[in-house]
Amino acid sequence: MNSQALPTTSVYATDGADIDTQLQRIIADLPNVNAKLQNATPEEILAWSVDNLPNLYQTTAFGLTGCVTLDIISRMSKERAKRAGIEPKHLVPLIFIDTLYHFPQTIDLAERASQNYAAPMHVFRPEGTDTVARFEERWGPQFWERDEDTYDYLVKVEPARRAYNELDVRAVFTGRRRTQGADRADLAAVEVDETGLIKVNPLLNWSFADVDKYVKEHAVPYNELLNFGYKSVGDWHSTSLPSEKDSGERSGRWGDKAGKTECGLHKDYFKFKVVAEKKLREAELSRKDAARA
């Protein structure tokens, strides 16, 4: 559990309300919150979140936006500690979902960034499989080619939900921005998903140029693959160099999957879970039948 106590200045906790009550009040007040934050700066959105959201974490795959968010939180943590006259402590712990198929550069960046910012990082992997060999022994090689949605559930959606349950996560920062287009074009600053998890998009109002400028001005550590022309980095098998004709910010992701824009983490969890688990049960029965044959 996040050891950071909710600041008593939060209007949602001034009467000593428990976490569930605070969250109910925040969710009920989201229209007002988003009206206030719809044109806010990342610093303003981050400050509101740290001041008001209990059990807050940053879920990140260390994309450029996530790295900038991490840097701003670090600066905020140091500034607040200095004003309070206490030792600085990174205010928002990290959650990193290691799919086992990340580029080596991504794994290296996660470790370097966590150390650089003294940010506690919780790493979660596919259940019961902590290496590619073990994952493919259980599910077969190139599972994403046979059933990409179920693959996404196994390596991203289920580990993320397990992380949220084990850490008692109630709110997370994401790296989504409006200029990334597709399903992200109409983002609000603060959202609540079907599970009750609050998702905050602190850089929603920034363009890629804004993010890139911040990275350069503040020497933010970032994935070195971006230096070679990649624009959005995910698993190695779903990431490619974008074509000259494709200028989208997430170009190069799922290039052979027409229309795909999200990996599952920002889709309806319950619907995704039901379909994936049904397929997994059917696959398990097929394996048992084959073994008996």
Side-chain angles (χ1 to χ4, degrees), residues 13-288:
T14 52
D15 59 352
D18 62 23
I19 288 177
D20 288 331
T21 300
Q22 293 169 37
L23 291 171
Q24 290 171 8
R25 292 172 177 174
I26 292 167
I27 292 170
D29 196 37
L30 280 187
N32 293 324
V33 171
N34 281 316
K36 175 184 176 182
L37 298 177
Q38 65 176 341
N39 296 313
T41 66
E43 289 83 359
E44 290 169 338
I45 296 173
L46 290 166
W48 178 89
S49 302
V50 169
D51 288 340
N52 290 286
L53 296 176
N55 293 31
L56 173 64
Y57 287 73
Q58 181 184 356
T59 302
T60 182
F62 295 92
L64 210 55
T65 306
C67 292
V68 169
T69 299
L70 175 57
D71 188 85
I72 297 174
I73 293 172
S74 175
R75 293 173 186 276
M76 178 189 302
S77 301
K78 293 175 181 177
E79 290 170 2
R80 291 188 174 201
K82 184 177 180 180
R83 289 200 302 266
I86 60 177
E87 287 294 316
K89 177 182 179 182
H90 194 81
L91 291 172
V92 184
L94 305 173
I95 295 173
F96 174 56
I97 306 301
D98 180 0
T99 66
L100 307 178
Y101 290 92
H102 281 300
F103 286 94
Q105 292 90 338
T106 303
I107 299 297
D108 175 68
L109 173 62
E111 295 171 351
R112 284 191 293 112
S114 175
Q115 294 174 3
N116 180 66
Y117 293 106
M121 183 171 69
H122 303 272
V123 180
F124 284 78
R125 299 180 176 87
E127 189 171 24
T129 54
D130 56 359
T131 65
V132 169
R134 293 189 63 179
F135 183 86
E136 296 188 353
E137 179 182 355
R138 183 173 183 181
W139 302 111
Q142 298 179 313
F143 185 65
W144 59 87
E145 292 187 353
R146 288 179 282 118
D147 189 339
E148 189 167 20
D149 281 348
T150 305
Y151 168 82
D152 284 344
Y153 177 79
L154 287 171
V155 305
K156 300 173 187 177
V157 177
E158 187 283 327
R161 182 52 45 184
R162 182 160 26 95
Y164 300 158
N165 290 338
E166 290 184 12
L167 299 171
D168 193 24
V169 177
R170 302 303 186 93
V172 296
F173 288 127
T174 83
R176 296 179 295 166
R177 291 181 289 106
R178 288 172 177 160
T179 61
Q180 290 171 325
D183 294 341
R184 305 184 177 194
D186 298 319
L187 285 176
V190 186
E191 304 171 319
V192 58
D193 73 8
E194 62 283 349
T195 71
L197 179 72
I198 292 177
K199 294 181 176 180
V200 182
N201 309 303
L203 271 67
L204 84 163
N205 291 316
W206 273 18
S207 66
F208 178 82
D210 294 324
V211 175
D212 188 54
K213 178 182 178 182
Y214 184 97
V215 168
K216 292 174 179 175
E217 288 182 349
H218 298 279
V220 176
Y222 64 91
N223 197 317
E224 64 183 44
L225 289 174
L226 299 180
N227 295 332
F228 297 97
Y230 290 90
K231 290 189 175 182
S232 178
V233 179
D235 287 346
W236 60 260
H237 53 76
S238 64
T239 303
S240 60
L241 286 169
S243 66
E244 293 182 1
K245 296 180 180 180
D246 194 347
S247 60
E249 291 187 35
R250 285 166 67 76
S251 58
R253 296 292 298 280
W254 307 293
D256 59 341
K257 303 291 190 303
K260 179 167 181 175
T261 59
E262 295 287 356
C263 66
L265 288 175
H266 300 298
K267 295 182 179 180
D268 186 302
Y269 168 73
F270 294 114
K271 291 180 180 178
F272 209 74
K273 179 175 184 287
V274 167
V275 173
E277 290 189 343
K278 180 177 183 293
K279 290 182 178 179
L280 293 172
R281 286 194 298 270
E282 291 172 349
E284 184 63 26
L285 289 173
S286 295
R287 282 195 295 270
K288 289 180 179 180

